[in-house]
Amino acid sequence: DTEVTQTPKHLVMGMTNKKSLKCEQHMGHRAMYWYKQKAKKPPELMFVYSYEKLSINESVPSRFSPECPNSSLLNLHLHALQPEDSALYLCASSQDPTSGTIRYEQYFGPGTRLTVT
Amino acid sequence: DQQVKQNSPSLSVQEGRISILNCDYTNSMFDYFLWYKKYPAEGPTFLISISSIKDKNEDGRFTVFLNKSAKHLSLHIVPSQPGDSAVYFCAAGGAGSYQLTFGKGTKLSVIP
């Protein structure tokens, strides 16, 4: 099973709202990722969690707050977003590439289409 | 500076023929290469990968070729099917790194 699930599929929120995106995988992967993707662009890395600890934060504004409650779950908490934050938010998981494994392809979820009004 | 380049934004191929998508990279530290397929408003789907210790990897209709000296890889799809119409992203990673560097994608259209 190579499935990563994400909820919700679509989200519309105002600039004063607080909402959360959720991601789940059951592949035993210990690295989980949040990406942002705008139309006709490649995915942009936002955060990486490794063994439930934040490993990489790509200078993402604090209005985005990631959380990894356990090895299967990843959340992205949203607060006071701007219209330019509207995008497809993708979760991905992989084996830990720092563990010496030779295969570390990332498996992506279907994404959450976020619109900020 | 783009470290992974897909110089063809689009490609049209007749159904049943071969599709060849190309990708060039500049960073010699990359040692793992991947191809993803993406439909609109969906997440990228992993297709096939290749390690730098190989020059070819095959999975069904999909074959990836790696030419390390030219820093070039290609994805061959044979035979092409209308369902293959999507955007294809090339990506590269380095040992011990969480980062994947993506190309800008090539939109493949397979004409019935």
Side-chain angles (χ1 to χ4, degrees):
Chain A
D1 182 15
T2 57
E3 191 178 27
V4 177
T5 59
Q6 288 187 245
T7 56
K9 194 168 174 60
H10 301 277
L11 178 63
V12 179
M13 61 185 290
M15 290 190 285
T16 58
N17 291 159
K18 284 185 181 181
K19 297 285 184 184
S20 296
L21 309 185
K22 296 185 184 302
C23 173
E24 189 167 4
Q25 59 89 12
H26 293 288
M27 293 178 275
H29 288 164
R30 301 313 296 269
M32 296 186 75
Y33 309 77
W34 280 114
Y35 286 86
K36 173 182 176 179
Q37 186 171 27
K38 293 274 202 179
K40 301 187 191 301
K41 300 280 189 183
E44 295 175 31
L45 184 64
M46 299 174 72
F47 302 104
V48 180
Y49 271 83
S50 174
Y51 294 88
E52 295 109 74
K53 288 187 174 20
L54 184 64
S55 292
I56 293 177
N57 176 341
E58 291 286 359
S59 303
V60 179
S62 59
R63 58 186 184 268
F64 295 91
S65 175
E67 178 197 18
C68 190
N70 61 51
S71 60
S72 301
L73 294 174
L74 189 65
N75 298 323
L76 186 63
H77 303 297
L78 314 172
H79 174 53
L81 295 193
Q82 304 297 309
E84 59 265 29
D85 296 322
S86 298
L88 182 67
Y89 286 84
L90 296 163
C91 174
S93 71
S94 76
Q95 294 184 37
D96 178 18
T98 67
S99 66
T101 180
I102 61 169
R103 295 198 60 173
Y104 43 92
E105 51 263 18
Q106 295 180 17
Y107 292 90
F108 286 83
T112 293
R113 171 66 61 188
L114 174 67
T115 303
V116 182
T117 59
Chain B
D1 177 34
Q2 259 190 285
Q3 296 188 62
V4 176
K5 296 179 186 177
Q6 293 178 256
N7 290 319
S8 299
S10 63
L11 175 68
S12 287
V13 171
Q14 207 73 32
E15 180 179 3
R17 308 294 280 265
I18 184 170
S19 295
I20 301 176
L21 297 100
N22 293 304
C23 179
D24 297 294
Y25 63 96
T26 57
N27 190 337
S28 301
M29 299 302 291
F30 290 145
D31 65 357
Y32 199 66
F33 304 90
L34 309 93
W35 284 96
Y36 287 89
K37 171 181 176 180
K38 188 179 184 304
Y39 295 118
E42 292 186 11
T45 300
F46 168 70
L47 273 179
I48 192 168
S49 60
I50 188 166
S51 163
S52 60
I53 62 173
K54 294 187 173 183
D55 54 19
K56 177 182 173 182
N57 189 24
E58 193 171 351
D59 184 0
R61 296 187 298 115
F62 302 92
T63 303
V64 57
F65 295 91
L66 175 62
N67 181 334
K68 285 194 294 294
S69 61
K71 293 190 175 67
H72 176 84
L73 64 153
S74 60
L75 175 68
H76 293 211
I77 307 174
V78 182
S80 301
Q81 298 173 354
D84 296 328
S85 296
V87 176
Y88 289 77
F89 289 99
C90 169
S97 172
Y98 295 101
Q99 299 267 15
L100 284 183
T101 301
F102 286 86
K104 291 189 173 182
T106 296
K107 183 176 182 180
L108 173 67
S109 299
V110 179
I111 304 159

